[in-house]
Amino acid sequence: MPELVFFSGTMDCGKSTLALQIEHNRSARGLQGMIFTRDDRAGEGKLSSRLGLVTDAVEAAVGFDFYAYLVDRLSKGGRCDYVIADEAQFLAPEQVDQLARIVDDLELDVFAFGITTDFRSKLFPGSQRLVELADRVEVLQVEALCWCGARATHNARTVGGEMVVEGAQVVVGDVNQSPDEIGYEVLCRRHHRRRMTAATARAAALSPDVLPVGGA
């Protein structure tokens, strides 16, 4: 039976890499899929991974109707054997409903990939709806690591290396931004709670208040 599967995890845990791998494996068997994405780091209409892999995709902008798009494609003689939707956390709940309808009415597998929670540890609306509707939720097993070496479970937004907890829910950035830009960093829960990023941890370690005092 076709399924709606939600692959979730923190930033930097290989979601987009897995999406590209699924696309490769299925296309190698002669299947044809449709790839959708929203606000990918590589730009509009691209699905990319941090390993440097990239492929073309359909940009699912605000108001985009997945179900209508697939019905139109199929009614014109196009082919689609499965659907991949990356950056699914950015989708509106009604767009996730459309993905579920593709599974139920068009009988196609849909593989959605996304971050579960935002930089404030709050569920993205799209991710919440996927958890509610998905036949399966798969937490990726490739563990991203906090700067301390512990398993990273939370996404932090940073400005100048310092964690921020206010602002719009969606601000496109990456984990490899320069220190002066808006960026993101994955942290363990303890350091997310303490708002301690790699940069602030280094600053604390170099602070005169914590340096040992040498004897005469």
Side-chain angles (χ1 to χ4, degrees):
M1 294 291 292
E3 290 183 307
L4 172 58
V5 186
F6 179 35
F7 294 93
S8 68
T10 62
M11 298 182 73
D12 213 18
C13 74
K15 297 181 300 300
S16 296
T17 301
L18 179 58
L20 289 163
Q21 184 67 55
I22 288 176
E23 160 64 13
H24 170 76
N25 291 350
R26 292 190 168 232
S27 62
R29 295 295 178 266
L31 300 176
Q32 295 182 20
M34 285 299 307
I35 302 176
F36 300 95
T37 190
R38 166 85 67 84
D39 294 335
D40 187 272
R41 68 182 71 82
E44 183 174 333
K46 298 292 182 183
L47 190 163
S48 66
S49 80
R50 293 187 180 87
L51 297 182
L53 304 172
V54 63
T55 191
D56 291 330
V58 175
E59 186 75 13
V62 175
F64 181 86
D65 190 323
F66 289 90
Y67 184 80
Y69 184 95
L70 263 295
V71 168
D72 182 66
R73 176 184 175 88
L74 295 172
S75 65
K76 292 178 178 177
R79 179 179 171 186
C80 182
D81 299 309
Y82 59 93
V83 171
I84 290 174
D86 197 30
E87 306 293 355
Q89 72 273 5
F90 297 144
L91 301 180
E94 55 267 26
Q95 290 178 308
V96 176
D97 290 346
Q98 294 159 14
L99 294 178
R101 189 179 179 190
I102 288 170
V103 176
D104 296 339
D105 294 358
L106 303 182
E107 299 185 346
L108 300 176
D109 283 317
V110 174
F111 306 101
F113 300 80
I115 300 167
T116 309
T117 58
D118 64 15
F119 69 104
R120 301 164 300 185
S121 299
K122 303 295 184 181
L123 283 168
F124 281 100
S127 299
Q128 178 178 334
R129 193 59 177 149
L130 278 162
V131 170
E132 293 167 348
L133 291 183
D135 297 291
R136 285 189 291 127
V137 177
E138 301 281 353
V139 178
L140 297 194
Q141 298 304 307
V142 177
E143 294 184 352
L145 299 178
C146 178
W147 60 263
C148 69
R151 178 172 176 255
T153 55
H154 290 65
N155 306 294
R157 180 181 295 169
T158 60
V159 177
E162 295 188 2
M163 179 174 160
V164 296
V165 295
E166 295 182 353
Q169 185 176 52
V170 178
V171 176
V172 178
D174 204 353
V175 294
N176 297 315
Q177 303 282 38
S178 69
D180 296 329
E181 294 182 282
I182 294 177
Y184 290 89
E185 183 175 343
V186 289
L187 300 172
C188 64
R189 184 180 63 236
R190 178 175 64 171
H191 288 126
H192 191 276
R193 286 179 50 246
R194 296 178 180 177
R195 303 185 188 179
M196 185 172 285
T197 65
T200 55
R202 283 194 298 269
L206 294 174
S207 170
D209 294 333
V210 298
L211 289 175
V213 178

